Amino acid sequence: MKIRYPAVAVVFALVAGCSNGQAVSRAGTGAVDATVRISASGQKVRPDQGVTVTASGGTLQAVTGAIGRFSADRTSWKTTWALKPGSAYKVTATAKNAKGKVSTVSSTFRTERAPRTVGIASVTPAAGEKVGVGMPVIVDFTGPVADRANVEKALEVTSGKGDEGAWSWISDRRVVYRTRKYWHPHQKIAFTAHLTGVRAAKDTYGVRDVTRSFTIGASNVTVANARTHYMTVDHDGTVKRFKISTGAGTTADTITTNGIHLTREKRPVVTMTATCKKGSPGCDYYEGERVELAVRITVGGEYVHKSVGEYYYLGRQNASHGCVRTSPAGARYFYDISQRGDIVDVTHTTRRFADEPYADDWKFWTRSWAQWLAGSALHGSSPA
């Protein structure tokens, strides 16, 4: 989306001293070689359009009053982010002409107030949290975002190790940042939403920036193979192998979902009840079953956990109600190293995790990189 600047600009002839938004000329001073153009003036400047300063017949030496960047040849300068709605600004530009003459001019203006506002309702991960290498940045807004490209450009993620990533819109209130490959472990990540003054919809602007930082912890990548009945756990390069039993498949909901999952939470004890209707065909109904060392991987109720007895199935046969069961030793090891955002890749089952109906499932790694970019307002065609 191209940002259009106001058609009317204030033009300043550069002379020694400082002007108050008017062209200045004094008899006997001689011709002025440099001219500065400042795009913002008056009382109703749109905050999302920012300010542009250009110089002809010379180069810009400094611009104050807002945060911005010079062009490579220093003949122009532009604000980096949008301006705060309903605020007064004074932008001062200093330039030097070809003969070395330095002059300064200023423009004062006020941005329009925001008729309606939009903000950030939540950011995941939490501030200061240590997470796994698959963890996305999930941003939820307080209202619908129509101008997605505007908002997406204002969202900044900085990786200490330079990991590549992109945003993808899940809905008009949620956008998610995922890396192309898993994060490098043991690094700091900073997220900033430069939302102040950004036009998110008609007559709707952001009024506050939001900053979060978190840490990528150890690299925990687990592959649970429903065919071999083993899972391999790669913890920062140390690989351990444990016997498992996945979903028996007597009904559709007892097939463990296939694909890349993310760990969501862990609890020492979880009480579980069957999702199938008691007495229905193929339903092995249970209620109030206490399961230990449970690490959740889906909204629908799949966990990696310690097997409740029936250890003879581990490494031999799929007999669970849909979870990944493992041995006491395997469950303890997996539970102790688990952090939100670890990778659990379940393979060789017939029920796709990508097809699950729960809107809040973290299915972000079930998409290819090309599919992910297609959901970006800047890199592809964002979904409605």
Side-chain angles (χ1 to χ4, degrees):
M1 176 178 180
K2 295 183 178 179
I3 298 177
R4 297 180 179 176
Y5 294 91
V8 178
V10 180
V11 178
F12 302 93
L14 287 180
V15 296
C18 180
S19 77
N20 292 315
Q22 300 293 326
V24 177
S25 177
R26 293 195 178 99
T29 59
V32 176
D33 294 332
T35 301
V36 167
R37 181 184 295 265
I38 299 179
S39 64
S41 65
Q43 298 299 307
K44 292 186 178 182
V45 174
R46 275 182 49 176
D48 60 310
Q49 293 182 331
V51 182
T52 298
V53 180
T54 56
S56 58
T59 56
L60 294 167
Q61 302 300 297
V63 179
T64 61
I67 298 173
R69 296 176 182 174
F70 292 98
S71 63
D73 61 2
R74 297 186 77 90
T75 60
S76 66
W77 175 95
K78 183 179 180 181
T79 45
T80 306
W81 309 108
L83 304 176
K84 186 176 181 179
S87 299
Y89 284 85
K90 179 180 180 180
V91 173
T92 300
T94 301
K96 183 187 292 185
N97 67 10
K99 297 179 180 180
K101 185 176 182 180
V102 176
S103 302
T104 301
V105 295
S106 298
S107 174
T108 58
F109 58 90
R110 179 174 288 276
T111 54
E112 294 179 344
R113 294 184 180 275
R116 290 186 293 273
T117 64
V118 67
I120 290 179
S122 65
V123 178
T124 304
E129 185 178 359
K130 182 179 288 187
V131 296
V133 296
M135 190 70 198
V137 180
I138 305 171
V139 179
D140 291 307
F141 296 94
T142 58
V145 173
D147 295 339
R148 297 183 181 183
N150 283 348
V151 171
E152 193 173 323
K153 283 187 290 186
L155 305 179
E156 181 181 28
V157 176
T158 304
S159 159
K161 297 186 178 179
D163 294 320
E164 178 187 0
W167 294 96
S168 194
W169 290 86
I170 308 304
S171 71
D172 63 0
R173 291 174 181 254
R174 170 172 286 190
V175 66
V176 176
Y177 184 91
R178 199 205 86 185
T179 46
R180 184 168 190 168
K181 299 179 180 179
Y182 301 149
W183 294 107
H184 284 88
H186 308 293
Q187 63 168 317
K188 297 286 187 181
I189 307 298
F191 161 72
T192 303
H194 302 274
L195 203 59
T196 301
V198 172
R199 185 180 187 271
K202 184 178 180 182
D203 297 329
T204 304
Y205 294 88
V207 293
R208 186 170 68 90
D209 293 350
V210 173
T211 300
R212 294 285 187 276
S213 61
F214 58 94
T215 302
I216 305 299
S219 174
N220 295 326
V221 179
T222 297
V223 178
N225 191 321
R227 181 180 295 168
T228 65
H229 314 299
Y230 277 84
M231 71 177 185
T232 58
V233 183
D234 186 334
H235 173 60
D236 270 349
T238 298
V239 179
K240 294 184 180 291
R241 192 165 179 256
F242 301 103
K243 296 178 180 180
I244 62 170
S245 180
T246 64
T250 52
T251 59
D253 60 356
T254 63
I255 301 172
T256 308
T257 54
N258 190 88
I260 298 176
H261 304 65
L262 293 173
T263 55
R264 298 180 63 105
E265 62 175 345
K266 63 180 181 181
R267 295 182 183 179
V269 178
V270 172
T271 301
M272 297 186 179
T273 299
T275 57
C276 59
K277 186 177 180 180
K278 188 175 183 178
S280 61
C283 177
D284 181 14
Y285 187 79
Y286 61 97
E287 185 176 355
E289 185 171 72
R290 288 171 54 86
V291 175
E292 297 179 353
L293 304 176
V295 181
R296 191 181 195 119
I297 60 173
T298 72
V299 170
E302 292 180 354
Y303 290 78
V304 178
H305 65 76
K306 174 185 170 183
S307 185
V308 183
E310 299 184 338
Y311 297 133
Y312 45 88
Y313 287 124
L314 301 179
R316 297 182 180 181
Q317 182 179 337
N318 292 325
S320 82
H321 300 104
C323 292
V324 178
R325 299 178 181 175
T326 189
S327 64
R332 170 52 66 186
Y333 180 78
F334 186 85
Y335 183 90
D336 286 347
I337 67 171
S338 287
Q339 55 205 351
R340 277 211 301 179
D342 288 341
I343 299 293
V344 178
D345 188 3
V346 178
T347 65
H348 297 104
T349 76
T350 58
R351 180 183 170 196
R352 298 196 333 150
F353 180 43
D355 296 334
E356 287 298 279
Y358 303 101
D360 199 38
D361 256 328
W362 290 355
K363 298 182 285 187
F364 314 123
W365 289 99
T366 64
R367 301 187 195 179
S368 68
W369 185 242
Q371 289 172 328
W372 188 256
L373 291 180
S376 164
L378 301 178
H379 300 286
S381 54
S382 184

